Amino acid sequence: GENVEQHPSTLSVQEGDSAVIKCTYSDSASNYFPWYKQELGKRPQLIIDIRSNVGEKKDQRIAVTLNKTAKHFSLHITETQPEDSAVYFCAAYSSASKIIFGSGTRLSIRP
Amino acid sequence: SAVISQKPSRDICQRGTSLTIQCQVDSQVTMMFWYRQQPGQSLTLIATANQGSEATYESGFVIDKFPISRPNLTFSTLTVSNMSPEDSSIYLCSAFLNTEAFFGQGTRLTVV
């Protein structure tokens, strides 16, 4: 079945440095790749997404890249801030019309 | 965007009983989804609920345990039946609007 793998499971970076989270997907027909941020006790919130006809998308300090040939996509956060600390989930919208989530990355920003 | 109201936000239930979780969307949506999230874990899809048809369940989840209703395009319920402590988790409903998934605030279920 469809599968999304996400790495690393935990990531600690110095405030101001960059953070990169990587995901791979199995369903070659997937065409939409959202990223969610989940703070403790709260619901997941969409932070950025990318569609299969685009290779890169940027929104201020956040960027996402997609390599359809290799079936992987990445989230890049630059100039990290304490409020970036959270769990981040990648996801893929599969050909079966459902969103499959990665296992999550717990990002910690060290002051 | 879409606003999803989910209730109850939390409940403590006795084993062997059932709990029905409700989700109301402020827009008409074709597809709604139910997820389970164990503490510190990812979201696991339980089933997809489309209006006018039976829900489609993922591997490891069955209708007798998690019956779902979808009476119209703005509402869905998930029932957790014959609960055991292993069912303790957070349950989230989700809806697609223009391929963006929005989530309810979740139901934190504790079975004792």
Side-chain angles (χ1 to χ4, degrees), chain A residues 32-44:
Chain A
Y32 174 65
F33 306 91
W35 286 87
Y36 290 86
K37 177 182 180 182
Q38 188 177 31
E39 296 175 334
L40 189 64
K42 297 187 177 180
R43 73 189 84 185

Side-chain angles (χ1 to χ4, degrees), chain B residues 6-102:
Chain B
Q6 182 176 343
K7 61 181 181 181
S9 58
R10 60 178 62 228
D11 207 343
I12 301 173
C13 300
Q14 295 290 324
R15 66 179 68 198
T17 63
S18 298
L19 175 72
T20 295
I21 303 167
Q22 299 180 4
C23 263
Q24 179 75 50
V25 188
D26 68 347
S27 304
Q28 291 188 337
V29 293
T30 303
M31 305 179 72
M32 291 185 70
F33 304 87
W34 289 95
Y35 290 88
R36 183 170 72 182
Q37 187 176 32
Q38 306 281 14
Q41 303 295 316
S42 185
L43 288 82
T44 300
L45 182 63
I46 297 172
T48 302
N50 293 330
Q51 194 267 335
S53 62
E54 293 238 345
T56 303
Y57 290 82
E58 297 299 305
S59 176
F61 299 96
V62 295
I63 187 171
D64 289 347
K65 177 67 176 177
F66 298 100
I68 287 171
S69 78
R70 184 79 203 276
N72 56 53
L73 291 173
T74 64
F75 187 77
S76 180
T77 67
L78 170 77
T79 298
V80 186
S81 302
N82 188 25
M83 289 183 284
S84 65
E86 293 70 37
D87 295 320
S88 297
S89 188
I90 296 171
Y91 293 84
L92 292 135
C93 65
S94 175
F96 272 3
L97 193 61
N98 299 324
T99 70
E100 179 175 343
F102 297 89

